[in-house]
Short mmCIF file of all heavy atoms in Angstrom, two decimals:
data_model
loop_
_atom_site.label_atom_id
_atom_site.label_comp_id
_atom_site.label_asym_id
_atom_site.label_seq_id
_atom_site.Cartn_x
_atom_site.Cartn_y
_atom_site.Cartn_z
N GLY A 1 8.27 -13.33 1.64
CA GLY A 1 7.02 -14.07 1.81
C GLY A 1 6.20 -13.67 3.01
O GLY A 1 5.50 -14.49 3.59
N ASN A 2 6.28 -12.37 3.41
CA ASN A 2 5.46 -11.88 4.51
C ASN A 2 5.76 -12.58 5.83
O ASN A 2 4.88 -12.82 6.64
CB ASN A 2 3.96 -12.02 4.17
CG ASN A 2 3.09 -11.14 5.06
OD1 ASN A 2 3.51 -10.07 5.48
ND2 ASN A 2 1.89 -11.60 5.34
N SER A 3 7.04 -12.90 6.05
CA SER A 3 7.43 -13.61 7.27
C SER A 3 7.75 -12.67 8.43
O SER A 3 7.72 -13.09 9.58
CB SER A 3 8.66 -14.49 6.99
OG SER A 3 8.39 -15.42 5.97
N PHE A 4 8.10 -11.42 8.13
CA PHE A 4 8.39 -10.50 9.22
C PHE A 4 7.08 -10.16 9.95
O PHE A 4 6.07 -9.90 9.33
CB PHE A 4 9.03 -9.21 8.70
CG PHE A 4 9.47 -8.29 9.80
CD1 PHE A 4 10.68 -8.48 10.43
CD2 PHE A 4 8.65 -7.26 10.23
CE1 PHE A 4 11.08 -7.65 11.47
CE2 PHE A 4 9.03 -6.42 11.26
CZ PHE A 4 10.26 -6.62 11.88
N GLY A 5 7.11 -10.15 11.25
CA GLY A 5 5.91 -9.90 12.04
C GLY A 5 5.36 -11.14 12.70
O GLY A 5 4.35 -11.08 13.41
N TYR A 6 6.01 -12.31 12.47
CA TYR A 6 5.56 -13.53 13.13
C TYR A 6 5.63 -13.40 14.65
O TYR A 6 4.83 -14.01 15.37
CB TYR A 6 6.46 -14.72 12.73
CG TYR A 6 6.18 -15.33 11.38
CD1 TYR A 6 5.20 -14.84 10.54
CD2 TYR A 6 6.93 -16.42 10.94
CE1 TYR A 6 4.96 -15.41 9.31
CE2 TYR A 6 6.69 -17.00 9.71
CZ TYR A 6 5.71 -16.49 8.89
OH TYR A 6 5.49 -17.08 7.67
N MET A 7 6.59 -12.61 15.13
CA MET A 7 6.80 -12.46 16.57
C MET A 7 6.27 -11.12 17.05
O MET A 7 6.01 -10.21 16.24
CB MET A 7 8.30 -12.60 16.88
CG MET A 7 8.83 -14.00 16.60
SD MET A 7 10.63 -14.11 16.72
CE MET A 7 11.10 -13.29 15.19
N ASP A 8 6.14 -10.98 18.36
CA ASP A 8 5.68 -9.72 18.92
C ASP A 8 6.78 -8.67 18.80
O ASP A 8 7.82 -8.89 18.17
CB ASP A 8 5.22 -9.91 20.36
CG ASP A 8 6.35 -10.36 21.29
OD1 ASP A 8 7.52 -10.37 20.88
OD2 ASP A 8 6.04 -10.74 22.44
N HIS A 9 6.56 -7.50 19.41
CA HIS A 9 7.49 -6.39 19.27
C HIS A 9 8.90 -6.78 19.71
O HIS A 9 9.88 -6.55 18.98
CB HIS A 9 6.99 -5.19 20.09
CG HIS A 9 7.87 -3.99 19.99
ND1 HIS A 9 8.98 -3.80 20.80
CD2 HIS A 9 7.82 -2.91 19.17
CE1 HIS A 9 9.56 -2.67 20.49
NE2 HIS A 9 8.88 -2.10 19.51
N ASP A 10 9.03 -7.36 20.91
CA ASP A 10 10.36 -7.72 21.41
C ASP A 10 11.03 -8.76 20.52
O ASP A 10 12.22 -8.66 20.22
CB ASP A 10 10.27 -8.24 22.85
CG ASP A 10 9.92 -7.15 23.84
OD1 ASP A 10 10.06 -5.95 23.49
OD2 ASP A 10 9.51 -7.48 24.97
N GLY A 11 10.27 -9.77 20.12
CA GLY A 11 10.83 -10.80 19.25
C GLY A 11 11.27 -10.24 17.92
O GLY A 11 12.31 -10.63 17.38
N SER A 12 10.49 -9.32 17.36
CA SER A 12 10.86 -8.69 16.08
C SER A 12 12.12 -7.86 16.23
O SER A 12 12.99 -7.85 15.34
CB SER A 12 9.71 -7.82 15.57
OG SER A 12 8.55 -8.59 15.34
N GLU A 13 12.26 -7.15 17.35
CA GLU A 13 13.48 -6.40 17.60
C GLU A 13 14.69 -7.32 17.68
O GLU A 13 15.75 -7.03 17.12
CB GLU A 13 13.36 -5.59 18.89
CG GLU A 13 12.56 -4.31 18.77
CD GLU A 13 12.72 -3.44 19.99
OE1 GLU A 13 12.95 -3.98 21.10
OE2 GLU A 13 12.61 -2.20 19.84
N HIS A 14 14.53 -8.44 18.37
CA HIS A 14 15.63 -9.40 18.50
C HIS A 14 16.01 -9.99 17.13
O HIS A 14 17.19 -10.22 16.86
CB HIS A 14 15.24 -10.51 19.47
CG HIS A 14 15.11 -10.05 20.88
ND1 HIS A 14 14.37 -10.73 21.83
CD2 HIS A 14 15.62 -8.96 21.53
CE1 HIS A 14 14.43 -10.09 22.99
NE2 HIS A 14 15.17 -9.01 22.81
N PHE A 15 15.01 -10.21 16.28
CA PHE A 15 15.30 -10.72 14.94
C PHE A 15 16.12 -9.71 14.14
O PHE A 15 17.11 -10.07 13.49
CB PHE A 15 13.99 -11.05 14.22
CG PHE A 15 14.17 -11.42 12.77
CD1 PHE A 15 14.99 -12.48 12.40
CD2 PHE A 15 13.54 -10.69 11.78
CE1 PHE A 15 15.17 -12.82 11.05
CE2 PHE A 15 13.71 -11.02 10.44
CZ PHE A 15 14.53 -12.08 10.08
N LEU A 16 15.73 -8.44 14.19
CA LEU A 16 16.49 -7.42 13.46
C LEU A 16 17.89 -7.27 14.03
O LEU A 16 18.86 -7.05 13.27
CB LEU A 16 15.75 -6.08 13.50
CG LEU A 16 14.41 -6.04 12.74
CD1 LEU A 16 13.77 -4.66 12.87
CD2 LEU A 16 14.60 -6.41 11.28
N GLU A 17 18.03 -7.38 15.34
CA GLU A 17 19.37 -7.35 15.94
C GLU A 17 20.21 -8.51 15.43
O GLU A 17 21.41 -8.35 15.14
CB GLU A 17 19.26 -7.42 17.46
CG GLU A 17 18.68 -6.16 18.10
CD GLU A 17 18.36 -6.37 19.57
OE1 GLU A 17 18.66 -7.48 20.10
OE2 GLU A 17 17.80 -5.44 20.19
N ALA A 18 19.59 -9.69 15.30
CA ALA A 18 20.31 -10.86 14.79
C ALA A 18 20.75 -10.63 13.34
O ALA A 18 21.87 -10.96 12.95
CB ALA A 18 19.44 -12.11 14.89
N LEU A 19 19.86 -10.03 12.52
CA LEU A 19 20.24 -9.71 11.15
C LEU A 19 21.40 -8.72 11.11
O LEU A 19 22.32 -8.84 10.29
CB LEU A 19 19.05 -9.12 10.39
CG LEU A 19 17.93 -10.07 9.97
CD1 LEU A 19 16.89 -9.29 9.14
CD2 LEU A 19 18.45 -11.24 9.16
N GLY A 20 21.36 -7.73 12.03
CA GLY A 20 22.42 -6.75 12.08
C GLY A 20 23.77 -7.36 12.40
O GLY A 20 24.81 -6.88 11.94
N ALA A 21 23.76 -8.44 13.18
CA ALA A 21 25.01 -9.13 13.52
C ALA A 21 25.41 -10.15 12.46
O ALA A 21 26.58 -10.51 12.35
CB ALA A 21 24.86 -9.84 14.86
N ALA A 22 24.46 -10.62 11.66
CA ALA A 22 24.74 -11.65 10.65
C ALA A 22 25.29 -11.06 9.36
O ALA A 22 26.06 -11.72 8.66
CB ALA A 22 23.46 -12.44 10.34
N VAL A 23 24.91 -9.81 9.05
CA VAL A 23 25.29 -9.19 7.78
C VAL A 23 26.51 -8.29 7.99
O VAL A 23 26.58 -7.52 8.95
CB VAL A 23 24.11 -8.37 7.21
CG1 VAL A 23 24.52 -7.62 5.95
CG2 VAL A 23 22.93 -9.29 6.93
N ARG A 24 27.47 -8.38 7.09
CA ARG A 24 28.68 -7.57 7.18
C ARG A 24 28.36 -6.10 6.95
O ARG A 24 27.38 -5.75 6.26
CB ARG A 24 29.70 -8.04 6.14
CG ARG A 24 29.23 -7.84 4.71
CD ARG A 24 30.35 -8.02 3.70
NE ARG A 24 29.88 -7.92 2.33
CZ ARG A 24 29.64 -6.77 1.69
NH1 ARG A 24 29.80 -5.61 2.33
NH2 ARG A 24 29.23 -6.76 0.43
N PRO A 25 29.19 -5.19 7.48
CA PRO A 25 29.03 -3.76 7.16
C PRO A 25 29.10 -3.55 5.65
O PRO A 25 29.97 -4.09 4.96
CB PRO A 25 30.22 -3.11 7.88
CG PRO A 25 30.51 -4.03 9.02
CD PRO A 25 30.25 -5.42 8.48
N GLY A 26 28.17 -2.79 5.13
CA GLY A 26 28.08 -2.56 3.70
C GLY A 26 27.18 -3.54 2.99
O GLY A 26 26.81 -3.34 1.83
N GLY A 27 26.84 -4.65 3.68
CA GLY A 27 25.90 -5.61 3.12
C GLY A 27 24.48 -5.11 3.26
O GLY A 27 24.21 -4.08 3.90
N GLY A 28 23.54 -5.83 2.69
CA GLY A 28 22.17 -5.34 2.69
C GLY A 28 21.14 -6.38 3.04
O GLY A 28 21.44 -7.58 3.12
N ILE A 29 19.92 -5.93 3.27
CA ILE A 29 18.79 -6.81 3.54
C ILE A 29 17.59 -6.39 2.70
O ILE A 29 17.48 -5.24 2.28
CB ILE A 29 18.38 -6.81 5.03
CG1 ILE A 29 17.93 -5.42 5.48
CG2 ILE A 29 19.52 -7.33 5.90
CD1 ILE A 29 17.30 -5.40 6.87
#
């Protein structure tokens, strides 16, 4: 739903880092 980009550059990086820690290896986004 076009939710990525709500935050600035640093916030977006932190969000992707959080996704990387939330999803198991081999899982997807």
Side-chain angles (χ1 to χ4, degrees):
N2 198 32
S3 301
F4 186 83
Y6 281 1
M7 294 171 285
D8 62 10
H9 181 275
D10 290 343
S12 299
E13 281 192 331
H14 292 158
F15 173 58
L16 293 179
E17 290 170 4
L19 286 184
V23 175
R24 64 168 176 80
I29 62 171

